[in-house]
Amino acid sequence: QKEVEQNSGPLSVPEGAIASLNCTYSDRGSQSFFWYRQYSGKSPELIMFIYSNGDKEDGRFTAQLNKASQYVSLLIRDSQPSDSATYLCAATGANNLFFGTGTRLTVIP
Amino acid sequence: ETGVTQSPTHLIKTRGQQVTLRCSSQSGHNTVSWYQQALGQGPQFIFQYYREEENGRGNFPPRFSGLQFPNYSSELNVNALELDDSALYLCASSFTSGGEQFFGPGTRLTVL
């Protein structure tokens, strides 16, 4: 059974702080990893993807991948109240994505 | 560039009925994947269509079926609805089978 695991949270951080979201995956065959943001009642929105070991930065977001540890993380710098949402980690399967249950992030003004 | 669209937005059905959900893929995308998201859970893969052919299926019974049309739009059909089918149904399109997937707004299905 291919699995993606996330800490369900909730994770609360003050405005301006760094939020750190973590994810582990079970299938060593997964090639790419995605972070989606989902606001309550809305559909997932793609934030970033990563497929190489190391860091990938896009604005306030940094994705980190360690294939040896089967670990993916997302850092959000200078967190804003608008970042409050559920963050979903996904890993590729043969032709689909396996999702974790998501981590709920609350940024406190 | 037009994003992924889905219809209807909300739907209420009773147990045993059948439902059809529709999805139009993003311009230039030939692959559509369908997911079911129960409350508090991550999306679960139902199946994928690539160039009008089913290209993979998750752990869902045969009463979940689909189609993809020549314009790459897609339908998800669910027969003999059960209470546990109540969920948000998400359609995602991608440029290729293994590419980045972009989600539509979803259809909220309630089975009474």
Side-chain angles (χ1 to χ4, degrees), chain B residues 30-100:
Chain B
N30 59 21
T31 303
V32 171
S33 304
W34 287 92
Y35 293 83
Q36 179 195 66
Q37 187 176 24
L39 201 61
Q41 301 297 313
Q44 297 294 312
F45 175 66
I46 303 175
F47 44 58
Q48 182 183 83
Y49 278 86
Y50 171 66
R51 293 187 175 184
E52 302 180 58
E53 297 287 332
E54 186 177 290
N55 187 42
R57 187 179 183 93
N59 188 27
F60 280 81
R63 60 189 184 84
F64 286 78
S65 63
L67 282 173
Q68 188 178 34
F69 300 99
N71 66 354
Y72 303 129
S73 65
S74 177
E75 286 184 353
L76 163 64
N77 299 289
V78 187
N79 294 322
L81 284 167
E82 300 177 359
L83 298 180
D84 285 348
D85 295 333
S86 295
L88 179 66
Y89 287 84
L90 296 162
C91 165
S93 78
S94 53
F95 182 68
T96 64
S97 173
E100 302 152 55

Side-chain angles (χ1 to χ4, degrees), chain A:
Chain A
Q1 179 75 10
K2 298 175 183 178
E3 293 183 347
V4 174
E5 295 192 1
Q6 297 181 252
N7 186 331
S8 61
L11 172 67
S12 294
V13 299
E15 183 175 354
I18 296 175
S20 178
L21 305 164
N22 306 313
C23 167
T24 59
Y25 61 95
S26 64
D27 182 12
R28 287 193 175 275
S30 292
Q31 296 294 313
S32 301
F33 305 87
F34 300 82
W35 283 99
Y36 286 84
R37 176 175 62 198
Q38 187 171 29
Y39 292 111
S40 181
K42 301 296 185 182
S43 64
E45 172 192 8
L46 180 63
I47 299 174
M48 291 190 69
F49 69 92
I50 186 168
Y51 54 83
S52 298
N53 274 327
D55 296 359
K56 179 181 179 182
E57 185 174 318
D58 184 1
R60 296 186 297 114
F61 299 96
T62 299
Q64 299 174 317
L65 173 60
N66 183 325
K67 289 187 177 181
S69 301
Q70 296 176 249
Y71 176 87
V72 190
S73 67
L74 179 70
L75 300 178
I76 306 175
R77 290 181 299 282
D78 188 24
S79 295
Q80 301 297 309
S82 59
D83 295 327
S84 298
T86 295
Y87 289 79
L88 296 164
C89 173
T92 51
N95 47 25
N96 61 294
L97 297 176
F98 292 96
F99 283 86
T101 55
T103 299
R104 183 187 300 179
L105 171 67
T106 299
V107 180
I108 303 167

